[in-house]
């Protein structure tokens, strides 16, 4: 009987870290389930024992926890990082369901919908080679399809290695509806008698997947478009059992900027790669949600709660979605701007330590280059200058490096404004040094500095660039940096005067 409650599942294989494509499929299933007040189930498909990666299940569940996505049924992590299961349709790990698959394969054998195949690997390889030479599609030739019961039993009794194949109906039109792509039709003459049970006794994905989806009352299957070609096989298997098939929806492929399918050759593709590079969770989820879906509005920034309210399969695209890192950077920058200064500080601190600009010593923060202790309030003042500029946290070490250097190393020629000269630049820096020395530390704010230096420019008839460019370069040693008044305030009077003095020395 068809379930009245929408039930969706994710069924990853524990063969590596979570790919951005996996996360997109997971996210869409979760959003669809929550939006429709349905159930989101986690299932582990570990039938390919040769490809299992230790720790991959834990990594998957940790990634879901990190993303704020929780399954109502299936495996979960306990507080002490142990994998346990919950739900009434378990086990939710395929390797623990072998007895279930054995029972159901017997049903197909008894109904003459499947058959034993005793062909050796060598025969199959030779067959494939011959088909390639003749430019024919590779498919099993049905050699064992019509063995008699006596022949089959004799081979089984002798322990001959075997697989079990699906008996593909001949000259049949397979038609199924896809919620995203509409009606899809395939002829069985182009399809293979595919393997259901492998020689090691484990089911193939195609078999276990259908049995599990039926027994777990899955109503909707949302998965990547690479599974479209397999769906006719699955539809026929449901029919062979006499079961009602779930509704299918195949999500658009993820593409690189060249329009090719996104792959490991394109660089970072695992979710952990992007976390390590300094992208916020909220930004990654927001970005991935937009890879193939939009609400039909101009909105581009979404919280997870907003996504669950607005998500609909009606707005999922058919065409491929381009994985544009520049767009991810922009979204991440928007989320960084929303952080409180305290949260921004907490996020940036590990990256400043990783960049070896500051170190932790006796539970205190110390500038590595100078050995002096640095207070969190001072560090926050520095970080505040870049919060509206950086796009990811890995940039913070590079853009703020000049704050943590004992002495800046730069070409003195860089101190000279393009419309000025060395003599005037030196004269202007000396005027600036004199003014800065006269300002009290308590008055060393960016607003006051701007007011006093602007007055200095007017009194001496100096154009803005001829004074502020050498000031900026003396304080940062960079062509691009924050406002010089803000830099001076963050550095404080003593360090600001020191750097202006160094610039004067370099020009003399």
């Amino acid at each position: 009987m068809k379930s009245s409650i929408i039930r969706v599942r994710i069924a990853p294989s524990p063969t590596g870290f979570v790919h951005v494509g996996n996360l997109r499929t997971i996210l869409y299933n979760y959003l669809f389930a929550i939006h429709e007040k349905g159930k989101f189930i986690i299932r582990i498909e570990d039938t390919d024992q040769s490809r299992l990666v230790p720790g991959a299940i834990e990594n998957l569940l940790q990634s879901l926890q990190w993303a704020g996505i929780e399954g109502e049924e299936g495996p979960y992590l306990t507080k002490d990082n142990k994998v346990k299961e919950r739900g009434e349709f378990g086990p939710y790990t395929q390797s623990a369901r072998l007895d279930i698959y054995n029972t159901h394969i017997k049903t197909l054998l008894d109904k003459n919908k499947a058959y034993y195949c005793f062909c050796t690997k060598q025969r199959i390889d030779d067959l494939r080679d011959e088909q390639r030479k003749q430019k024919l599609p590779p498919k099993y030739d049905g050699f064992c399809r019509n063995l008699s019961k006596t022949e089959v039993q004799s081979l089984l009794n002798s322990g001959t290695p075997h697989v079990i194949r699906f008996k593909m109906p001949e000259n049949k039109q397979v038609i199924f509806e896809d919620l995203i792509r509409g009606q899809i039709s395939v002829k069985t003459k182009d399809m293979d008698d595919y393997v259901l049970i492998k020689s090691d006794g484990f089911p193939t994905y195609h078999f276990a997947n259908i049995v599990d989806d039926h027994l777990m009352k899955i109503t909707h299957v949302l998965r990547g478009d690479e599974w479209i070609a397999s769906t006719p096989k699955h539809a026929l298997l449901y029919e062979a059992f006499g079961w009602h098939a779930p509704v299918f929806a195949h999500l658009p492929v993820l593409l690189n900027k060249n329009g090719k399918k996104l792959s490991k050759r394109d660089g970072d593709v695992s979710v952990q790669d992007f976390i390590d590079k300094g992208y916020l969770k909220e930004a990654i989820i927001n970005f991935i949600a937009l890879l193939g879906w939009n609400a039909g509005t101009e909105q581009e920034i979404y919280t997870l709660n907003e996504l669950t309210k607005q998500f609909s399969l009606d707005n999922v695209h058919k065409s491929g979605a381009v994985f544009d890192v520049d767009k991810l950077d922009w979204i991440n920058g928007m989320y960084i701007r929303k952080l409180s200064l305290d949260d921004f500080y907490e996020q940036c601190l590990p990256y400043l330590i990783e960049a070896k600009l500051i170190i932790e010593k006796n539970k205190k923060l110390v500038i590595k280059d100078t050995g002096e202790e640095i207070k969190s309030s001072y560090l926050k003042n520095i970080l505040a200058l870049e919060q509206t500029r950086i796009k990811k946290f890995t940039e913070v070490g590079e853009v703020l490096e000049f704050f943590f250097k004992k002495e800046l190393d730069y070409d003195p020629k860089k101190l000279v404004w393009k419309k000025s000269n060395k003599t005037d630049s030196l004269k202007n820096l000396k005027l600036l040094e004199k003014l800065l020395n006269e300002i009290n530390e308590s008055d060393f704010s960016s607003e006051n500095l701007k007011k006093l230096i602007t007055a200095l420019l007017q009194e001496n008839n100096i154009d803005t660039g001829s004074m502020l460019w050498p000031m900026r370069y003396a304080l940062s040693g960079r062509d691009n940096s924050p406002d010089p008044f803000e830099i001076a305030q963050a550095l404080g009077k003593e360090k600001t005067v020191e750097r202006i003095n160094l610039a004067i020395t370099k020009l003399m």
Side-chain angles (χ1 to χ4, degrees), residues 229-488:
S230 298
T231 306
K233 296 178 181 179
H234 301 165
L236 286 169
L237 197 48
Y238 278 108
E239 186 179 295
F241 275 116
W243 296 339
H244 183 88
V247 177
F248 295 102
H250 291 92
L251 310 176
V253 65
L254 296 186
L255 307 173
N256 62 23
K257 281 191 173 183
N258 297 321
K260 303 293 184 183
K261 185 176 179 179
L262 190 70
S263 69
K264 291 180 181 179
R265 291 188 295 274
D266 296 305
D268 299 329
V269 291
S270 84
V271 175
Q272 192 61 48
D273 289 333
F274 290 98
I275 297 171
D276 293 342
K277 281 201 165 185
Y279 291 97
L280 287 164
K281 169 184 74 175
E282 295 81 2
I284 295 174
I285 291 172
N286 190 152
F287 171 70
I288 286 177
L290 298 177
L291 292 175
W293 170 88
N294 67 56
T297 68
E298 296 299 314
Q299 184 177 350
E300 292 191 282
I301 302 300
Y302 293 89
T303 64
L304 185 58
N305 186 48
E306 286 174 327
L307 288 169
T308 60
K309 289 178 179 178
Q310 296 192 44
F311 185 82
S312 167
L313 290 176
D314 293 338
N315 291 328
V316 174
H317 311 152
K318 295 179 185 178
S319 56
V322 176
F323 192 96
D324 185 352
V325 176
D326 292 336
K327 179 70 173 287
L328 173 58
D329 286 348
W330 178 81
I331 291 174
N332 200 57
M334 296 297 287
Y335 277 95
I336 286 174
R337 287 163 177 73
K338 291 182 177 182
L339 294 174
S340 69
L341 183 55
D342 287 343
D343 287 341
F344 184 61
Y345 166 81
E346 293 296 334
Q347 291 281 357
C348 288
L349 189 57
Y351 294 94
L352 291 172
I353 293 171
E354 186 180 342
K356 297 182 170 56
L357 296 177
I358 59 177
I359 57 175
E360 290 182 291
K361 192 173 183 180
N362 299 323
K363 297 184 179 181
K364 294 180 180 179
L365 296 176
V366 176
I367 298 176
K368 188 175 185 297
D369 208 35
T370 64
E372 63 183 295
E373 183 183 342
I374 183 170
K375 294 183 178 179
S376 61
S377 57
Y378 174 72
L379 196 50
K380 287 176 185 178
N381 287 338
I382 293 172
L383 289 168
L385 301 182
E386 290 293 343
Q387 187 169 358
T388 60
R389 294 160 59 94
I390 69 167
K391 295 176 181 176
K392 51 184 180 286
F393 294 112
T394 44
E395 296 173 351
V396 75
E398 181 184 352
V399 298
L400 293 179
E401 182 183 21
F402 66 90
F403 277 104
F404 304 96
K405 291 297 181 182
K406 186 174 183 179
E407 186 174 302
L408 299 180
D409 182 21
Y410 55 83
D411 184 350
K413 293 177 183 177
K414 290 279 194 176
L415 290 163
V416 181
W417 173 240
K418 59 186 178 182
K419 295 181 181 179
S420 186
N421 55 61
K422 179 180 177 181
T423 302
D424 286 344
S425 297
L426 180 59
K427 176 185 171 185
N428 293 339
L429 283 171
K430 286 181 177 180
L431 282 171
L432 179 62
E433 179 198 23
K434 182 175 182 298
L435 174 65
L436 294 174
N437 275 317
E438 292 170 355
I439 302 172
N440 292 326
E441 181 72 52
S442 59
D443 296 326
F444 219 76
S445 68
S446 60
E447 296 84 0
N448 195 45
L449 287 168
K450 184 175 183 178
K451 184 177 84 172
L452 294 173
I453 293 172
T454 300
L456 179 68
L457 294 175
Q458 293 171 350
E459 289 169 13
N460 293 273
N461 197 29
I462 301 171
D463 69 274
T464 304
S466 295
M467 175 68 81
L468 296 191
W469 175 262
M471 177 185 176
R472 179 199 293 269
Y473 216 93
L475 298 183
S476 68
R478 297 186 173 211
D479 293 333
N480 297 305
S481 67
D483 181 292
F485 308 117
E486 293 179 340
I487 298 175

Side-chain angles (χ1 to χ4, degrees), residues 125-193:
D125 289 343
D126 291 344
L127 175 64
R128 297 284 190 264
D129 288 342
E130 185 60 32
Q131 288 169 334
R132 272 192 290 270
K133 287 177 186 176
Q134 296 183 31
K135 297 183 179 179
L136 296 171
K139 58 185 292 189
Y140 182 62
D141 61 357
F143 184 78
C144 294
R145 184 175 172 119
N146 296 311
L147 292 177
S148 67
K149 287 185 178 181
T150 302
E151 289 174 305
V152 169
Q153 194 58 53
S154 175
L155 289 165
L156 290 174
N157 291 341
S158 64
T160 305
H162 61 274
V163 298
I164 299 176
R165 293 181 179 273
F166 180 70
K167 186 173 280 189
M168 186 64 63
E170 297 178 353
N171 300 315
K172 184 180 177 71
Q173 191 90 352
V174 185
I175 300 172
F176 66 93
E177 289 289 332
D178 186 293
L179 284 181
I180 296 170
R181 299 163 193 280
Q183 190 178 90
I184 296 175
S185 176
V186 179
K187 294 179 180 178
T188 58
K189 70 180 181 63
D190 301 319
M191 297 167 67
D192 199 7
D193 283 4

Side-chain angles (χ1 to χ4, degrees), residues 25-39:
T25 300
I26 291 168
L27 180 62
Y28 280 18
N29 273 276
Y30 175 77
L31 295 177
F32 178 67
I34 300 302
H35 182 78
E36 299 292 340
K37 296 180 173 56
K39 301 284 187 182

